[in-house]
Every structure is written in C-alpha cells, then in structure tokens.
Amino acid sequence: MYSLILRGRRLQNETASLTSFSSAARKGHNFTVSYLVNSLGFTPKLAESISKKVSFNNKCNPDSVLNLFRTHGFTDSQISTIITDYPLLLTLDADKSLAPKLQALQSRVSSTSELTETISKVPKILSKDRSLSVYYDFVKEVMQSSKFEPQRGKQENKLRNVLALRDLGVPQRLLFPLLISDLPHICGKETFRESLKKVLEMGFDPTTPKFLEALRVFKGLSNEAMEEKVKLYKRLGFTVEDIWVMFKKFPTFLTLSEKKITLNFETMRKFGLVEDEVRLVVKKFPQCIGVSEKNILNSVETFIGLGFSREDVVMMVKRLPPCIGYSVETVKKKIEFVVKEMNWPLKAVVSYPQVLGYSMEKRMVPRCNVIKALIAKGLIKSELPPVSTVLVCTDQDFLKRYVRKHDDDEELVAELMGIFTGEMRIER
C-alpha cells in the first residue's frame, strides 16, 4: 500500500512538472511571437514560423543582440533579414559571443557597408569560430565575383568546388549555404568533377535548387547503387526513360530505400489505385514516393472524413498527385472554404482538385470576395458560377469575366479591383 501511495505521489509530481513545463513553453512561444512582431516588424505568420526555431521569455538578450548590430552599422532591414535567416542569434550572448566576432571581422573590411552587406547575405557565418575569417573572405569574394584562389588547407576542396559552381552560374543564394555546411557532395576532387559532369550532361539548370540536389545524389551514390535502384524501378514497371524523366523532377527519389519505395507503391494500391494508375501518379509526381505511409493514409482518411468517397479520392489523386502529401490542416481549411463558405459541391473539388494547391490569401479569398460582392449587388442573379471560371482560370480571364465587363461603371470597377487586390474588404 505504501509503495502505491509513493507511486501516486510521483505521478502527481510528474504531471505537475509537465503542466508547468507546458505552460512555460507556451508563455515563451507567445512572448517570442510578440517580440518579433513589435521589435522587428515581422508579420504574425513569419513570427509564428520563427518561434518554432527559437524561443525566449524576456527581451534582455534579444535586445542586446539587436543593439549590437545597430552599433555596428546594420540597418533595420538588414537586421530583419539576418534574424529571419538565422534566428538563433537572438539567444547568443551579445558581449561574449557576437561582439568579438564582429570586431574581428570589422578589422578586415574596408568599410562598414562591406561588413553589413556580407553578414546580411550569410548570417550563419557568425556560427563559425576559428574558421570565421576564412569563410568571411571567401563569401566576400564570391559576392564580388572576382578571381579567387583558395589557400591550401582543410577547406581547399570545398572552396574550389564552390567556385566552380559559381562559374557555372549557380546563384549566390544557393552557394552561400554550401560555404558553412559540412555536406559531402561539395567536397572531394575527382568524384566531384565526375558527378558535376553527369549533372550537366543531364541538362539540369545550374540556377535551380534541383541542380545541387542532383549533384548530391550523383556524388552520394556509387554506380552500382544507382544501377540497383534503376533495376528496382524497372521491376515496378517503369522504363529507363521514365526513370530519368522522374529523376529530373525529383532527384532524391533514387536515394530512397527499396523498402520505402515498395511500401509506398503498396499503400497507394491499398486505397484504390490499380498498378497502372500508381505508375501514372508516380511519373507525374515522383515526390509522392518520399511521402510517409502514415501521411498518405491520413490524407485519404481526411478526404473521406470530409465527405468524399474512396472513388472521389482516387480520382483526385490521379488528377492532382501532390494532394496526397497536403497537410490535414490545409485540406480541411480549403474544403471548408470552398464547400461551406462558398457553397460549391464536393464534386467541384473532385473535378478540379488543383484548387487545393492554390493560395487562400493570394488567389481563393480575393476572387471569391469579388463574386460575393457581385452577388450582393444583384449582378450575379443565377446560380453560383462554376469553380473553373472563378478559381481555376488565369487572373486575366477572371478579371475579364467578372470585373472588366462592368467597364461602363468606373466606380464599380474600382471597388471590385480594390477587393481583388485586397485593398478593400467586403462586409460580411
């Protein structure tokens, strides 16, 4: 009996501790969001996103960091960019950690603007210690696009290879993260050259992220391993041509394990796709092979829970394969808007599932607000226009159909354009 009492007390203490921890975490999260909005002018959405990476309960430390940047000549815009890219800086000790690094770099630059511009481009350079000056010099040279011969040493291969990528046209925004990473695909000499040659021969555009993704795959997979993956996909019914077309869409699909690949094929068959349809879906959207089994099944159950039949789900996946990877929250929010708020039938979404991929803020809400305004004014008297003419068409076609047709009423057109651009809100 005594042991049971002790165990009960321990459980109560643990529960109290968890509750206290959860409450403190929520408090820190709320403070962080409020601080980012008020001190840096971030939107609530951006602040929420950043608060998932960093959290603090008071403003002393982050204030010290922001003040330090300002005293070194950084503008508010540059500081916002730096914190957006590397929010963990707000948790560092301004005097002991950041100040010495900024002072060391300041002694190497010809002007304050050079320092602020370089750090703004690659704030994570401030995570370096002993190699800080080496990375800073290289980042500066890449920004200036001048000739630069890296010194021999531990970083020689990485620096030389990043220079080669720069000369091919890989943009700075893709190069800079490579400088401060320890990723193996930009190291080495002969293997890097061989991998780079393969990527270029396949026609990847150096200005896109897929170029570096393909480089990582070629660098990371041996010829034997790649041949095994090609054989696996051939056993699943794909031609060699199919495989390389999919590779150009999603290079990472060749790095997935045999277990992962076969499991996802089986999962898609389970919810109603026949074998040919699975192949068609994968060819259209090879990224679906990388979606977890749990997420695929959750997507299917979410659609069914919202009133779609299993046949509807199969049809939507065939028409819009990415929909099996959409988050539950995204699907529910958009279906609720389309079906409950706008009164379009579920079948409209089955026919045009691409609406699930549209932005609520930039496309769906503004267009539907225009339709609501026209209905309220009695200018749309028949039934609700079809989804295809409201959400699926281009901006130009939408405006021509629902706004420009009223060109004889300048005041009305101005009002509708205000609603469409978000400058004017309609009364609910």
Side-chain angles (χ1 to χ4, degrees), residues 185-383:
H185 65 283
I186 56 165
C187 299
K189 189 173 182 179
E190 293 304 322
T191 55
F192 175 83
R193 288 177 180 172
E194 292 171 6
S195 301
L196 186 59
K197 181 181 178 183
K198 291 176 183 177
V199 175
L200 290 169
E201 287 175 346
M202 289 201 68
F204 281 92
D205 182 354
T207 64
T208 66
K210 278 194 177 70
F211 183 88
L212 295 179
E213 190 180 333
L215 178 62
R216 179 181 63 79
V217 173
F218 276 123
K219 183 77 163 50
L221 284 180
S222 65
N223 289 334
E224 293 76 14
M226 191 166 287
E227 286 174 8
E228 285 302 314
K229 288 295 169 64
V230 171
K231 287 178 182 178
L232 169 61
Y233 281 108
K234 286 174 71 176
R235 289 198 299 272
L236 290 169
F238 296 99
T239 66
V240 172
E241 183 181 358
D242 290 336
I243 294 166
W244 294 118
V245 169
M246 291 188 292
F247 179 77
K248 290 199 72 173
K249 291 181 180 179
F250 182 53
T252 302
F253 96 117
L254 278 183
T255 66
L256 301 173
S257 69
E258 180 174 349
K259 180 180 179 181
K260 171 76 173 173
I261 295 166
T262 54
L263 179 62
N264 273 20
F265 262 71
E266 185 57 36
T267 301
M268 285 188 276
R269 283 201 284 268
K270 279 181 183 175
F271 72 75
L273 291 172
V274 299
E275 198 159 315
D276 285 345
E277 290 172 337
V278 174
R279 280 193 290 270
L280 178 63
V281 166
V282 175
K283 281 194 281 188
K284 281 185 178 179
F285 185 65
Q287 290 89 333
C288 67
I289 295 294
V291 179
S292 71
E293 178 192 20
K294 180 181 177 182
N295 285 349
I296 292 175
L297 295 177
N298 281 348
S299 288
V300 174
E301 292 308 313
T302 297
F303 282 120
I304 292 174
L306 290 168
F308 294 94
S309 68
R310 196 164 288 271
E311 291 72 23
D312 290 337
V313 178
V314 169
M315 186 59 68
M316 286 192 291
V317 171
K318 287 164 60 177
R319 288 172 173 164
L320 184 76
C323 73
I324 62 173
Y326 291 161
S327 71
V328 170
E329 293 75 18
T330 295
V331 170
K332 286 183 176 179
K333 182 180 178 182
K334 292 181 178 178
I335 293 298
E336 184 173 336
F337 178 79
V338 170
V339 177
K340 291 186 178 179
E341 186 165 336
M342 291 304 297
N343 292 318
W344 277 304
L346 286 174
K347 287 296 181 184
V349 180
V350 177
S351 298
Y352 299 98
Q354 56 264 51
V355 300
L356 297 174
Y358 295 153
S359 166
M360 285 279 290
E361 294 75 17
K362 296 179 181 179
R363 186 175 188 134
M364 297 173 71
V365 172
R367 292 190 183 193
C368 289
N369 281 345
V370 170
I371 299 302
K372 288 177 182 178
L374 291 171
I375 291 173
K377 294 176 183 295
L379 296 173
I380 293 181
K381 297 179 181 179
S382 58
E383 61 184 23

Side-chain angles (χ1 to χ4, degrees), residues 40 138 223 236 396:
L40 289 161
F138 186 59
N223 289 334
L236 290 169
Q396 185 177 3

Side-chain angles (χ1 to χ4, degrees), residues 134-135 137-151 155-172 174-176 178-179 185-188 192-193 196 206 211-212 215:
V134 174
Y135 279 102
D137 288 345
F138 186 59
V139 169
K140 184 176 68 174
E141 295 297 337
V142 171
M143 287 174 60
Q144 295 171 352
S145 296
S146 60
K147 291 292 181 182
F148 178 68
E149 290 298 327
Q151 299 296 313
Q155 303 297 332
E156 179 186 3
N157 283 335
K158 179 192 288 188
L159 302 187
R160 182 189 57 247
N161 292 343
V162 172
L163 277 176
L165 294 173
R166 183 196 67 183
D167 293 342
L168 286 170
V170 176
Q172 289 182 4
L174 298 179
L175 286 179
F176 290 149
L178 300 179
L179 298 177
H185 65 283
I186 56 165
C187 299
F192 175 83
R193 288 177 180 172
L196 186 59
F211 183 88
L212 295 179
L215 178 62

